[in-house]
C-alpha cells in the first residue's frame, strides 16, 4: 500500500501544497471546476508545481473530458478520478475516450449508477474489467459491516481508498486515526493487509487538520509494519472470515 494526500484546490491550498511537498508524499489534486474555455496548456502551467499523481474532477461531459485529458497529459498525469456518468453506455464512452489517450479512469464509488457492489460487477461484465476501477470512501458507508463487505467484495476493482474519519454522519473530515472518529482505521488497514490488497491509501482530511499530517502518516506506516511483522488481530481475522463466508454462500 502506498500513502498519498488529498488536496482540494480552494482556500489556502497553495500553503497546504507546500506542506505536502516538504514531506515528499504523492499528491491527489481535486481540481474543482475549471474554465474549459481556456487552453489546457495554460492551466497546466498554473498547476505545474503540484505534480499530482492523479486529478479528481467534478462531473463532466464527454466533451469536457477531452479538455481534462489534455490537461492531464500536459501535467504528465495518467489517472483521473471522476463521478460516473449516468448510464452504462456513457461509462463505456468515457472509458474508451480516456484509454485512447493512455489515461486510466477511476470512478467515485457511491455515486449513481455505481452505488452497489453489483453495479461495479455489471460494468466489469458488460463493458470491461478495467472499466470498473473505483475509488472507495469508507466515511460514506452506513456501518462497519458495509465497509468490510465492500472492501472484500470489490478488492479487485478498488484502486484507491480515502482515509478520513467523522464523529457522526456529518461534519468536517477528521484525520483517519483521530480517536473520536467512528471508523477504526487501524483495523481497516489490518484487514486490507490480510486480504493482500495493494493500492493507494489517500489521507483526505479537512484543511484545519493538516498540522497532523506527519502523525497520521507515521501511524499508518506503523500499523502496516506491525501487520507485516506480527500479524493482524484475531478480531479482524474473524470479521474478514465471516464476510468472506457470507459472500460465498
Amino acid at each position: 500500500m502506498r500513502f498519498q494526500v488529498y488536496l482540494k484546490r480552494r482556500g489556502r491550498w497553495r500553503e497546504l501544497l507546500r506542506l505536502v511537498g516538504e514531506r515528499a508524499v504523492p499528491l491527489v489534486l481535486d481540481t474543482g471546476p475549471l474554465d474549459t474555455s481556456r487552453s489546457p496548456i495554460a492551466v497546466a502551467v498554473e498547476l505545474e508545481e503540484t505534480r499530482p499523481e492523479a486529478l479528481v474532477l467534478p462531473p463532466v461531459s464527454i466533451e469536457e473530458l477531452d479538455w481534462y485529458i489534455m490537461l492531464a497529459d500536459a501535467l504528465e498525469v495518467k489517472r483521473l478520478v471522476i463521478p460516473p456518468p449516468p448510464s452504462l453506455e456513457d461509462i463505456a464512452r468515457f472509458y474508451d475516450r480516456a484509454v485512447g489517450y493512455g489515461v486510466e479512469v477511476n470512478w467515485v464509488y457511491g455515486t449513481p449508477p455505481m452505488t452497489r457492489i453489483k453495479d461495479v460487477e455489471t460494468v466489469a461484465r458488460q463493458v470491461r474489467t478495467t472499466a470498473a476501477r473505483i475509488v472507495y470512501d469508507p466515511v460514506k458507508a452506513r456501518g462497519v459491516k458495509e465497509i468490510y463487505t465492500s472492501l472484500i467484495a470489490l478488492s479487485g476493482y478498488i484502486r484507491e481508498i480515502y482515509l478520513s474519519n467523522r464523529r457522526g454522519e456529518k461534519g468536517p473530515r477528521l484525520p483517519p486515526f483521530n480517536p473520536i472518529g467512528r471508523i477504526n482505521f487501524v483495523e481497516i488497514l489490518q484487514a486490507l493487509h490480510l486480504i493482500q490488497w495493494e493500492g493507494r491509501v489517500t489521507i483526505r482530511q479537512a484543511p484545519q487538520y493538516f498540522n497532523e499530517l506527519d502523525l497520521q502518516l507515521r501511524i499508518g506506516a506503523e500499523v502496516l509494519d506491525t501487520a507485516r511483522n506480527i500479524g493482524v488481530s484475531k478480531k479482524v481475522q474473524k470479521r474478514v472470515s465471516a464476510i468472506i463466508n457470507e459472500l460465498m454462500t
Side-chain angles (χ1 to χ4, degrees), residues 212-247:
E212 296 187 30
L213 182 58
D214 288 336
L215 174 63
Q216 300 302 309
L217 290 168
R218 186 167 65 251
I219 293 173
E222 289 174 355
V223 170
L224 292 179
D225 284 344
T226 300
R228 284 189 289 263
N229 296 326
I230 300 176
V232 307
S233 70
K234 290 183 179 180
K235 177 184 175 182
V236 170
Q237 292 179 44
K238 289 179 180 178
R239 180 165 278 161
V240 169
S241 179
I243 295 296
I244 290 174
N245 289 338
E246 187 176 309
L247 290 170

Side-chain angles (χ1 to χ4, degrees), residues 6 20 59 68 72 79 85 95 97 102 107-108 111 128 133 135 140 154 221 223 226 245:
Y6 187 106
V20 175
Y68 280 98
R79 190 168 68 92
Y95 170 78
R97 187 69 60 90
W107 311 112
V108 179
T111 304
R128 188 168 294 191
R133 291 171 173 166
V135 173
K140 295 181 179 179
L154 297 173
V223 170
T226 300
N245 289 338

Side-chain angles (χ1 to χ4, degrees), residues 27 31 35 45 57 67 85 92 117 132 151 164-166 184 200:
L27 174 73
T31 68
D35 183 359
V45 170
L57 311 186
W67 188 92
I117 292 170
L151 290 176
S164 65
N165 229 318
R166 279 204 174 109
N184 187 333
R200 301 170 175 91

Side-chain angles (χ1 to χ4, degrees), residues 78-90:
K78 294 299 182 182
R79 190 168 68 92
L80 298 177
V81 178
I82 316 175
S87 69
L88 270 177
E89 292 76 14
D90 287 332

Side-chain angles (χ1 to χ4, degrees), residues 90-105:
D90 287 332
I91 286 174
R93 289 173 64 211
F94 273 59
Y95 170 78
D96 289 341
R97 187 69 60 90
V99 167
Y101 287 94
V103 174
E104 177 181 335
V105 169

Side-chain angles (χ1 to χ4, degrees), residues 79 113 116 133 149 249:
R79 190 168 68 92
R116 301 166 298 176
R133 291 171 173 166
T149 302
T249 56

